[in-house]
Amino acid sequence: MKHEGQNKGENGIQCVDFDARLADVLDGTVSGAELEAFKGHAAACDDCGPLFTQAQRGMLALKSLVEVEPPLNLVHNIIARTSAIDPAMALRMAQPKRSLFGRVREWSSPVLNPVVLVISQPRLAMTTAMAFFSLSLVLNLAGVKISDLRNVDLRPSAITTTASMQYHQTTAKVVKYYENIRFVYELESRMKELTKDATKSDDQNNDQKKNDQKQQQPDNTSQKPGSNNKDYSLGEGEEILAVLRFELPGITSAQIQNTGRNS
Amino acid sequence: MLLPVPTEESQLTAAVIKRCLGGDASAWEEIVRSHNRRIYNICYRFTGSQDDAEDLTQEVFIRIYKTLKSYDLERGAFTTWITTMTRNLLVDHFRKSKQDRVTDSMDAAPSSDEDAPTLGEHIPDEKPTPDAAVQTQETQKMVQQALQKLSPELREAVILRDLQDMDYREIADALKVPEGTVKSRINRGRTELARLLSRTYRQVN
Ligand SMILES: [Zn+2]
C-alpha cells in the first residue's frame, strides 16, 4: 500500500506502525498514550487519517451482516453423503451393541423368508427398499458396480434366494439404523453413490476435457498490487493440506511468524 | 492469553470426536449439527451463493469425515481445523470458478461483476419510502455484493474476523499466514469494502 513505504513519524508513530495497530485500535484494545499517539497520527497524516475512517466503516458494515439460515435439509444431506463415503465406517458406526442381539433374532427370521412376506408386516413396510439397498450395499462393498448390477435380476424374489445370507448379515449390522432415521440417510446415500458410480467415468472424461480447454485460456486476471493471491492462484494439481499450527508454551509469536513467512 | 487452554467446550468437542472415531454415528451427527451453520455462513459470505454454500458445506464435512482420524485432539482447536478445511475448499472453488469465468469478479471494478444484479435493479426508480426491513435487506445485499468484490485473501480475512469473530491467532492458524499479515489483510479488506460501498452509494444517489 502507498503509505506503507513512508516513514512520516507523525506524532511519534510511523505509517507502518499505524497499519499494524489499526485493527487493535478498532478492537478497543489500545489505550493510553499509545492510543493518543495513534489518534494524533490519524489527524496529522493524509494517508492514514482516511484509512482509519474507512476501516471503521468497513468493519461496521461487515458486522451488520446477519447470520444466514442454512437450508433445512443440510444436516440430513451431509449425513447422507458422508454415509456413502465409507460404507465400512458407516456399518461400524451402526453396529448394534450386544444387548440388541435378541432383537435382531426377533425380527430377522421373516427377512430370511421371501421379501413379499416381510412387506406384509407393517413394522417392516420399508423392507423391499431396504432389501434392494442393502443388497446394493453388499455388492458395492464387494466391488460390484451398478453397471454390473444392470444384468442382475433385481426382483425381490430373485434377490431373496441369492442374497438372503448377505442380506441377513448386513441387516444384523445395520439393525440399529432400521429403527432410526439414520438408516434413511444410509439408503439415500447408497442410492446416490451407486448412481454416481454409473456416471462417474463419463463425468471424469468430460471434466478432463473441460480442464484442458480452460488451461489453454490466458489468465487476464489483474491482481491488486500488494494483495497476496498466492494461495488462490495455485495450479490445479497443487493441494493445500489442512495443517494445524500448534500452539505450544514457550514459542514466541516472532517464531511463529517466521514459520509462517514462507507461505 | 494465546495459549490453548482446555475449555469446557473444547473438552466436550474432544469427547464427541472420540465417540465418533469409536464408531458412534450419533456423535458424527452431533459434529455436523454443531458446525454446519458456521461453515455454511462462511461459505455463503465468501461465494455469495446459497447453492455454492450448500455444496461446499457438504464437501467440507465429507473432508472432515474422511480425515477426522488425523485430527489430533491435543493440538489445537477443532474449529480452527475445520476452518482451515473450509478455507482450502474455498480456495479450490475460487480457482475453479475463476477458470469458468472470463471476467474475474474478484477485481474491484464494479462493472466486472456480471452475475450479481446491480444495485439499481434492487431499488425502484420511484423510490417509495422503504420500511426498515426492506432497507435492512438492501443494506445486506449491498454489503454482500461489495464483499464479493474483494480479493479472496481480503475477503476471507474479514469474514473470519468480522463475521465469525475469530481472533487473530486463530485466523493466522487457519490461513497459515503470520498474524501481522492477517491484521494487514483485515485492514485492507475493511477499507476496500468501505470504498466500494461509498462508490455504490454514490452511484445510487
Ligand atoms: Zn500515516
Side-chain angles (χ1 to χ4, degrees):
Chain A
M1 284 185 90
K2 191 180 146 203
H3 68 287
E4 274 176 359
Q6 298 172 6
N7 288 319
K8 283 192 180 175
E10 305 272 3
N11 287 64
I13 69 164
Q14 300 178 338
C15 294
V16 272
D17 304 323
F18 184 91
D19 191 60
R21 297 305 272 158
L22 179 54
D24 297 326
V25 169
L26 290 173
D27 288 340
T29 56
V30 178
S31 58
E34 206 183 350
L35 183 62
E36 288 313 310
F38 184 91
K39 280 180 178 172
H41 184 93
C45 177
D46 291 341
D47 291 327
C48 298
L51 273 188
F52 178 72
T53 321
Q54 283 168 344
Q56 192 172 33
R57 277 187 194 150
M59 183 183 78
L60 292 173
L62 285 158
K63 285 186 185 296
S64 78
L65 287 175
V66 294
E67 195 174 64
V68 291
E69 224 31 68
L72 285 175
N73 57 354
L74 183 61
V75 171
H76 172 99
N77 291 344
I78 289 165
I79 291 169
R81 287 189 66 186
T82 49
S83 304
I85 303 163
D86 181 1
M89 185 166 171
L91 286 176
R92 204 165 56 240
M93 283 182 169
Q95 205 143 27
K97 294 189 174 68
R98 293 219 167 261
S99 60
L100 281 170
F101 270 94
R103 237 192 291 177
V104 175
R105 216 177 295 117
E106 183 187 310
W107 64 280
S108 64
S109 42
V111 174
L112 292 168
N113 296 329
V115 173
V116 181
L117 286 179
V118 180
I119 305 168
S120 65
Q121 302 193 12
R123 190 179 167 223
L124 300 174
M126 276 177 67
T127 303
T128 309
M130 287 175 187
F132 172 73
F133 284 109
S134 297
L135 174 70
S136 305
L137 183 74
V138 169
L139 290 173
N140 203 243
L141 280 171
V144 181
K145 287 188 178 139
I146 192 72
S147 49
D148 303 321
L149 259 179
R150 282 176 187 144
N151 302 321
V152 176
D153 189 349
L154 288 174
R155 282 173 299 129
S157 55
I159 293 169
T160 317
T161 329
T162 56
S164 62
M165 275 313 291
Q166 287 174 317
Y167 175 52
H168 175 60
Q169 286 157 2
T170 312
T171 306
K173 284 176 183 167
V174 295
V175 62
K176 208 173 167 190
Y177 274 23
Y178 283 26
E179 298 169 330
N180 192 308
I181 188 66
R182 234 166 270 117
F183 183 70
V184 179
Y185 299 150
E186 179 65 18
L187 293 184
E188 288 182 358
S189 66
R190 301 313 305 157
M191 183 61 174
K192 276 181 193 163
E193 191 174 71
L194 289 166
T195 318
K196 219 184 264 175
D197 278 350
T199 53
K200 199 185 271 174
S201 49
D202 289 346
D203 287 350
Q204 278 170 346
N205 288 340
N206 290 338
D207 285 352
Q208 190 57 46
K209 277 176 204 161
K210 210 174 161 190
N211 281 339
D212 289 348
Q213 285 174 344
K214 295 281 158 56
Q215 304 267 333
Q216 286 161 12
Q217 290 173 358
D219 187 0
N220 292 326
T221 311
S222 62
Q223 286 188 3
K224 302 188 75 57
S227 79
N228 180 1
N229 274 328
K230 195 182 168 197
D231 285 348
Y232 284 90
S233 54
L234 282 174
E236 276 301 300
E238 295 178 60
E239 178 87 358
I240 300 168
L241 295 171
V243 180
L244 265 183
R245 183 109 46 82
F246 313 144
E247 286 176 324
L248 296 170
I251 292 184
T252 66
S253 69
Q255 283 172 302
I256 292 170
Q257 292 205 354
N258 282 334
T259 61
R261 196 143 287 165
N262 55 2
S263 57
Chain B
M1 183 184 131
L2 294 174
L3 299 175
V5 182
T7 59
E8 198 181 329
E9 197 186 339
S10 71
Q11 282 171 335
L12 280 173
T13 308
V16 175
I17 292 167
K18 274 177 189 159
R19 271 170 54 217
C20 186
L21 290 172
D24 185 343
S26 70
W28 171 241
E29 191 172 326
E30 219 173 303
I31 290 172
V32 176
R33 287 198 185 282
S34 50
H35 294 278
N36 79 90
R37 193 183 180 85
R38 184 171 171 278
I39 295 173
Y40 178 81
N41 268 271
I42 293 175
C43 294
Y44 173 69
R45 289 307 178 190
F46 189 90
T47 62
S49 153
Q50 294 181 355
D51 288 344
D52 286 349
E54 188 171 357
D55 289 347
L56 284 160
T57 307
Q58 289 187 21
E59 293 302 324
V60 171
F61 277 103
I62 286 169
R63 215 175 261 200
I64 295 170
Y65 187 85
K66 283 178 175 171
T67 54
L68 193 60
K69 264 184 231 163
S70 71
Y71 171 68
D72 191 337
L73 291 167
E74 309 297 317
R75 288 174 176 173
F78 187 57
T79 305
T80 309
W81 189 67
I82 289 181
T83 307
T84 305
M85 241 178 267
T86 307
R87 188 267 173 173
N88 288 346
L89 274 160
L90 287 172
V91 173
D92 293 344
H93 173 81
F94 176 80
R95 281 197 248 130
K96 265 182 224 148
S97 58
K98 194 161 116 179
Q99 284 184 329
D100 289 344
R101 298 167 81 169
V102 179
T103 309
D104 184 11
S105 70
M106 304 309 149
D107 198 278
S111 57
S112 68
D113 199 348
E114 45 185 28
D115 280 3
T118 64
L119 199 68
E121 285 165 19
H122 294 305
I123 297 175
D125 290 336
E126 57 268 27
K127 285 193 181 175
T129 320
D131 60 24
V134 172
Q135 212 156 30
T136 307
Q137 225 173 9
E138 289 305 328
T139 309
Q140 296 275 311
K141 269 182 202 160
M142 213 157 86
V143 178
Q144 176 65 46
Q145 281 174 20
L147 185 57
Q148 232 58 59
K149 287 169 188 160
L150 293 183
S151 80
E153 289 79 14
L154 305 188
R155 203 189 315 162
E156 66 183 2
V158 293
I159 288 173
L160 297 183
R161 177 63 196 157
D162 290 330
L163 303 181
Q164 296 298 323
D165 287 322
M166 286 173 75
D167 64 38
Y168 302 113
R169 174 82 257 143
E170 290 172 329
I171 299 171
D173 282 344
L175 304 184
K176 294 188 284 298
V177 292
E179 265 187 67
T181 306
V182 169
K183 284 185 182 177
S184 160
R185 286 184 187 176
I186 290 167
N187 291 343
R188 280 189 285 146
R190 286 167 173 171
T191 50
E192 189 81 15
L193 189 94
R195 283 184 205 135
L196 287 162
L197 284 171
S198 60
R199 204 185 299 173
T200 315
Y201 186 79
R202 274 200 302 273
Q203 279 175 349
V204 170
N205 290 276

